[in-house]
Amino acid sequence: MKISGIIYNFVAEYTLNSTISCNAHLENLVQNKMAFNYITAQEAAAMINDGDTIGLSGFTAPGTPKAIPNAIAERAEKEHEEDRPFKINLFTGASTSDRCDGALSRANAINRRAPYQNVPDLRKRINSHDAHYFDRHLSEMAQEMRYGFYGPVDYAIIEAAAISPDGEIILGTGVGNVPTFAHMAKKIFIELNENLPEQLHGMHDVILLQDPPYRREIPIYKASDRIGSPVLKVDPSKVVGIVRTKFYDGVKAFSAPDEVSKQIGANVVRFLVSEYRRGGIPKEFLPLQSGVGNVANAVLYDLGESSEIPPFMMYTEVIQDAVLELMQKGKCTFASTCSMTFADATEERLFADMDFYKDKILMRPAEISNNPEVIRRIGVIAMNTALEADIFGCVNSTHVLGTKMMNGIGGSGDFTRNAYISIFSCPSVTKGGLISNIVPMVAHPDHSEHSVDILVTDQGIADLRGKDPVQRAHEIINNCAHPMYRELLNDYLKIGRGGQTPHVLERAFAFHNAFNETGDMRNASFS
């Protein structure tokens, strides 16, 4: 049905309780595929012009188109060889992959980019201002597109497992912002990935929210509640071509966690167990959100080994390899996510056992998976990573030494600000001790002390709740800073000139200055 003139809501038409059987619906989705125009990736790229705005399906590498972006990069290289300008504006759900951001960046084919990225070649373009990257909270990107903040969308490129003649699409392993991009786009390309099983039908929960002043509450009261459609419905007249592909997502397997990651993971679990013992977490436990990486995997594996933590659900933006093992053990009973970011071998295991996993995983658009309303309502415990934290509890999660973009804020702000408990973790030191990740003042603030409840490093746990700034400083220095930096951090605290937060502004970045000048933060001095 049409809502407020511009937004469609597909809640009612298709649900898992539909009288149409799943098998019959799948047959409808795959029959008469030749109703659409089948083209090559190069033919698709030839239709795209300099300055066009493109929205991609997916969230991280999963669900992200893999052939057409690479063909666009090849097109850009040829145009540049002829001294013709060629750059696109690229909007996504989150990061993509080397096939997309990497290829396009090497071709210098990206003008504007949002809301998140993690590819080294794109990072270089961003930090040299060859690409104009604006870092956004992931929950906000789709609605800001619909509000018109970033202009019209010329093309949506959607990875799919299947498409019906009337425009019903079974999406791949990531959703992102594709419902909004597909609705706004003037034209649509489909990458029909033959590696994606059509049995993914039923694992998506696709919905577009109404825009103000018509928006209503989101009726999710537990992580497993389904509120939308198992398919994305698009206007078939906008589909100008289908490109056949056969790719896995190309996510690299995580290396075995090192000792520091293991210790951080153990400390996070130690905190959760202690909080559960004292009744600070309800006996049913609460849904978890976890970022991506070795530390996150270590936390999840340790949770799986804890006899005191009961089976739990996840309400998160990404699930990774450890979650499948937790499901096999019965420890994780359900995961609501935006993306299944699995290594290729893990993805193959998933596809081989779809009957087991199908009712345990639900993929939603980013503005639902990361929605502050839902996060606060159901009491999500948020676990995210920091680049650095300062002694008063502020966190930098995006900029190395305050200036160079690393990846972006991602969904950490969405979850942190609205979590039941917000946990940030990082190693106490990096580069063999040359850098302390606990500093007097963060060089770029992404999360203020108002949003950070618990800070965890390999050294220990700092519970910042209910403490004033100086009390927080003592807690962080004593429990989270590496011993080689504790004396320096206490020296900074001693020279404070009063006030509730006793910073000494001309000395606040002494650690960063020492590293820039000498390559070693230990050379900072407050004497």
Side-chain angles (χ1 to χ4, degrees):
M1 61 180 174
K2 196 170 184 179
I3 298 175
S4 70
I6 59 169
I7 298 300
Y8 292 87
N9 186 322
F10 307 114
V11 177
E13 189 171 359
Y14 292 96
T15 67
L16 292 182
N17 297 320
S18 172
T19 55
I20 302 174
S21 74
C22 183
N23 288 338
H25 192 55
L26 286 175
E27 183 178 348
N28 179 52
L29 282 165
V30 299
Q31 68 183 355
N32 298 323
K33 287 181 181 177
M34 292 309 294
F36 291 108
N37 184 32
Y38 282 77
I39 61 176
T40 66
Q42 289 71 28
E43 288 172 326
M47 300 183 203
I48 293 169
N49 298 311
D50 176 51
D52 279 351
T53 293
I54 297 174
L56 299 185
S57 66
F59 194 95
T60 70
T64 299
K66 300 164 179 64
I68 298 176
N70 199 73
I72 295 171
E74 293 172 355
R75 163 94 185 278
E77 289 173 347
K78 292 177 182 177
E79 294 294 318
H80 294 164
E81 287 172 1
E82 299 295 327
D83 291 324
R84 290 190 292 265
F86 190 93
K87 284 190 174 186
I88 60 171
N89 304 311
L90 188 64
F91 299 138
T92 63
S95 57
T96 63
S97 68
D98 188 71
R99 292 189 184 108
C100 181
D101 276 335
L104 290 165
S105 297
R106 288 187 290 274
N108 199 11
I110 297 177
N111 177 33
R112 287 198 299 168
R113 177 75 173 85
Y116 183 79
Q117 56 75 42
N118 67 352
V119 173
D121 287 308
L122 178 54
R123 191 178 301 137
K124 292 175 185 175
R125 293 289 184 190
I126 290 167
N127 287 318
S128 63
H129 299 279
D130 289 326
H132 304 293
Y133 172 67
F134 52 101
D135 194 18
R136 301 301 299 153
H137 296 295
L138 298 186
S139 69
E140 297 179 349
M141 189 69 201
Q143 68 180 24
E144 290 177 352
M145 293 293 296
R146 297 197 304 271
Y147 295 169
F149 292 179
Y150 313 126
V153 177
D154 296 293
Y155 291 93
I157 307 176
I158 303 170
E159 184 177 70
I163 179 171
S164 74
D166 57 354
E168 293 168 13
I169 296 171
I170 299 176
L171 293 171
T173 50
V175 181
N177 293 320
V178 67
T180 290
F181 296 150
H183 172 72
M184 291 183 64
K186 300 169 188 173
K187 298 177 182 179
I188 296 172
F189 293 116
I190 304 295
E191 284 198 9
L192 195 61
N193 190 340
E194 296 175 3
N195 271 358
L196 296 173
E198 289 150 9
Q199 287 75 17
L200 284 167
H201 180 260
M203 295 184 74
H204 302 93
D205 191 33
V206 180
I207 186 172
L208 271 172
L209 298 179
Q210 298 165 276
D211 288 330
Y214 306 103
R215 183 170 296 176
R216 297 292 303 272
E217 68 279 3
I218 298 172
I220 294 175
Y221 308 105
K222 58 183 183 300
S224 56
D225 283 343
R226 298 171 183 261
I227 62 172
S229 166
V231 296
L232 171 69
K233 192 167 185 178
V234 303
D235 179 353
S237 68
K238 296 201 299 186
V239 179
V240 294
I242 295 180
V243 176
R244 291 188 181 276
T245 68
K246 193 171 184 179
F247 292 110
Y248 283 107
D249 291 318
V251 177
K252 294 180 180 178
F254 289 106
S255 57
D258 58 21
E259 290 306 313
V260 170
S261 297
K262 289 180 182 177
Q263 189 57 57
I264 293 171
N267 287 340
V268 171
V269 173
R270 180 160 60 90
F271 165 76
L272 291 173
V273 168
S274 67
E275 195 73 359
Y276 187 64
R277 284 175 181 169
R278 76 166 189 86
I281 297 173
K283 62 182 178 61
E284 302 89 349
F285 213 68
L286 289 169
L288 298 177
Q289 175 259 338
S290 175
V292 179
N294 280 335
V295 171
N297 252 350
V299 170
L300 292 173
Y301 281 126
D302 280 3
L303 282 171
E305 297 301 317
S306 173
S307 60
E308 294 190 61
I309 300 295
F312 56 84
M313 292 187 179
M314 298 189 70
Y315 193 89
T316 187
E317 57 189 355
V318 170
I319 58 173
Q320 50 192 25
D321 292 22
V323 175
L324 289 194
E325 295 190 28
L326 293 175
M327 287 180 169
Q328 288 284 355
K329 293 179 179 179
K331 196 72 170 183
C332 178
T333 60
F334 193 90
S336 170
T337 185
C338 191
S339 170
M340 299 190 294
T341 306
F342 300 142
D344 285 353
T346 304
E347 193 169 66
E348 288 186 43
R349 292 204 310 274
L350 168 77
F351 292 163
D353 199 6
M354 291 290 282
D355 288 342
F356 177 80
Y357 293 110
K358 192 167 182 177
D359 64 350
K360 297 175 178 64
I361 300 172
L362 197 60
M363 290 175 279
R364 311 183 196 266
E367 65 178 332
I368 302 297
S369 68
N370 292 41
N371 192 277
E373 172 196 335
V374 178
I375 293 165
R376 186 165 292 194
R377 176 186 295 133
I378 67 176
V380 173
I381 297 172
M383 301 181 291
N384 289 287
T385 57
L387 289 179
E388 64 180 7
D390 69 31
I391 60 175
F392 298 113
C394 297
V395 164
N396 169 16
S397 58
T398 60
H399 283 73
V400 177
L401 294 171
T403 60
K404 293 182 179 179
M405 170 58 66
M406 188 65 178
N407 297 331
I409 197 168
S412 59
D414 299 326
F415 286 93
T416 294
R417 186 69 184 88
N418 300 284
Y420 181 89
I421 301 173
S422 172
I423 303 169
F424 272 95
S425 63
C426 64
S428 58
V429 294
T430 51
K431 288 189 177 294
L434 299 178
I435 292 177
S436 172
N437 297 319
I438 306 299
V439 295
M441 178 186 275
V442 289
H444 178 93
D446 290 300
H447 309 282
S448 76
E449 76 274 17
H450 309 294
S451 303
V452 182
D453 296 323
I454 309 296
L455 186 63
V456 177
T457 71
D458 50 294
Q459 298 298 311
I461 304 161
D463 188 340
L464 310 181
R465 296 172 294 179
K467 296 179 174 66
D468 72 22
V470 172
Q471 290 172 322
R472 289 197 299 268
H474 288 302
E475 183 83 3
I476 292 170
I477 293 170
N478 292 336
N479 293 298
C480 291
H482 195 281
M484 71 176 75
Y485 282 98
R486 286 177 188 166
E487 184 176 355
L488 276 172
L489 291 166
N490 277 312
D491 287 345
Y492 177 76
L493 197 57
K494 290 173 186 175
I495 66 171
R497 300 184 185 128
Q500 193 199 27
T501 305
H503 272 303
V504 182
L505 295 182
E506 66 270 26
R507 311 297 292 278
F509 297 120
F511 277 32
H512 304 87
N513 291 335
F515 184 82
N516 285 330
E517 292 166 5
T518 71
D520 191 340
M521 284 188 176
R522 288 170 293 188
N523 292 326
S525 174
F526 300 108
S527 57

